[in-house]
Amino acid sequence: MLRSLVGSEMCIRDSFQGPLKLYRAISDAVFPHALWEGTGAVAGRFIRSDRRLTQPAPANAQSDASDNHRLFRHRAALTPLQHEKDWLHVSEPESYASEMRTRHQLIRQAPEQVHASSESALSATTEALDRLLCWLVRYHPTRFCVDDEAVHTLTPGYQHRFVRAEFAGQPMLLAGLLVQDDFFIMQERPDGRSGKEWWLSAGISCFSFDLVQKHGRSLREVHHPFVPGFNEQLHRGMHKLFGALPSGQILWRHNWQLTAYPDQVHHDLPFAPFVLTELHSSPPFNENRDRAGSLHWRAEYQTLQRLPGSGGMMFAVRTYVDKLAGWDRWPDVAFAAAAAVRRKHKGMLHY
């Protein structure tokens, strides 16, 4: 796949004839989200924001073992979000309606496979839903109507009236029916030794991962051994961050994955058959076909914030998928992506 991405990078560079006015206008911007709709690089915009990938190495750079350890060291790479309006992304109507119909189908037909919540999480999940509703009313008053009895989605192609009382015991289900993001709640509990640990107490996951499999696990257990090096390089720092993050501060990061699938729902997730008519046991990648046309760039835009009332941590995860062949107007996206693949540790590439 690396050869394929590098090949597409060269192809995109050689054929770049995109609108320079648009390119220059957003050359340094990741936000606002709407600026990137229809550009073909709504997922790739995040990787291009990492300037380390496009800058040449210093003349005195060393390539010994210690430098390799530094190069491949995992980092959470969390950054303060400058504007609250960028917390979530309600897409333009057609894209929003399409993705929300998929989520609606999953949540209505297989709620036990995409949703999980512990009894002790009710206060935090209720607070999280209230946080979401306030944001929707403030930033998208023409797309949502919220009153004491119901929440109305007003986008053509996805118009619903959700009675709030029906979700009183499962607030995350309602959250998942309103926006394209998945949500997760982590809370503190005694760790059985002398301190406390953060654990996954609730969530709604249509596009991210198998939530039911990870529900109830600690922060360490959610990531290890699935994320190589998490225990050694990330766990302690993340635990400290969770304890120190002040209310009102939103942090964001992103991750990425090369995939042959254009779908937002992973083909290996247990609930995929509910919404995908054709499942692949192996990626439909053909080395003899147009390589750029066979690959996609999957990115997750993740945010983290503390819920001031319950003290829980609220994660929001938005999934985007670009066709590599759609980067013809964005050569720097292709360059940054190729550099990211080259520099990624092989264990993380496999993950």
Side-chain angles (χ1 to χ4, degrees), residues 57 100 134 168 264 316 318:
M100 291 309 302
C134 289
Q264 287 183 307
R318 174 66 183 277

Side-chain angles (χ1 to χ4, degrees), residues 8-271:
S8 66
E9 169 196 3
M10 299 299 295
C11 176
I12 290 171
R13 182 183 65 186
D14 294 341
S15 63
F16 172 64
Q17 299 186 12
L20 288 177
K21 183 176 181 181
L22 172 64
Y23 175 80
R24 288 167 180 161
I26 61 178
S27 60
D28 294 319
V30 173
F31 307 106
H33 299 289
L35 198 62
W36 286 90
E37 292 181 352
T39 64
V42 68
R45 59 182 163 137
F46 298 107
I47 196 67
R48 73 192 287 276
S49 69
D50 189 343
R51 295 304 179 191
R52 298 168 304 156
L53 298 174
T54 55
Q55 293 176 349
N60 61 348
Q62 301 296 317
S63 59
D64 58 16
S66 61
D67 185 64
N68 288 336
H69 175 75
R70 177 194 59 77
L71 185 65
F72 296 130
R73 184 177 178 86
H74 300 339
R75 299 184 309 127
L78 287 159
T79 303
L81 191 68
Q82 298 300 313
H83 303 288
E84 186 190 45
K85 66 180 180 180
D86 297 321
W87 173 39
L88 306 173
H89 178 198
V90 178
S91 296
E92 50 81 24
E94 183 177 355
S95 177
Y96 169 83
S98 176
E99 292 185 25
M100 291 309 302
R101 287 193 294 267
T102 298
R103 297 179 67 85
H104 189 275
Q105 185 175 351
L106 284 171
I107 293 172
R108 290 308 197 192
Q109 294 186 12
E112 72 286 349
Q113 296 195 43
V114 298
H115 170 264
S117 185
S118 302
E119 290 185 11
S120 60
L122 182 57
S123 175
T125 54
T126 300
E127 184 180 5
L129 176 61
D130 290 342
R131 170 82 173 92
L132 170 62
L133 295 179
C134 289
W135 186 89
L136 292 175
V137 170
R138 179 175 183 180
Y139 294 106
H140 295 280
T142 64
R143 304 279 294 273
F144 301 89
C145 178
V146 179
D147 57 44
D148 292 339
E149 293 185 359
V151 180
H152 305 258
T153 57
L154 308 177
T155 301
Y158 190 76
Q159 295 173 308
H160 293 275
R161 179 180 183 270
F162 299 109
V163 178
R164 299 178 66 171
E166 296 178 0
F167 299 91
Q170 298 176 315
M172 288 289 95
L173 283 178
L174 179 53
L177 290 166
L178 298 178
V179 293
Q180 295 147 276
D181 299 72
D182 290 329
F183 295 100
F184 308 96
I185 302 297
M186 299 201 77
Q187 296 176 279
E188 272 192 310
R189 67 183 177 189
D191 65 0
R193 296 187 293 272
S194 58
K196 294 183 177 181
E197 64 180 3
W198 290 91
W199 65 290
L200 181 58
S201 63
I204 180 76
S205 180
C206 296
F207 300 149
S208 302
F209 57 83
D210 185 356
L211 170 65
V212 175
Q213 182 188 52
K214 297 179 181 292
H215 176 242
R217 295 187 181 186
S218 68
L219 177 66
R220 185 191 304 273
E221 293 167 338
V222 166
H223 293 90
H224 178 78
F226 313 103
V227 179
F230 178 84
N231 278 351
E232 295 81 3
Q233 298 182 12
L234 284 178
H235 179 261
R236 180 177 296 181
M238 292 299 296
H239 191 274
K240 289 183 178 180
L241 173 66
F242 283 13
L245 185 64
S247 300
Q249 174 70 73
I250 303 175
L251 303 179
W252 76 274
R253 68 180 298 272
H254 85 279
N255 63 25
W256 58 266
Q257 176 187 16
L258 268 176
T259 176
Y261 305 127
D263 310 290
Q264 287 183 307
V265 177
H266 275 295
H267 285 230
D268 58 354
L269 289 173
F271 47 82

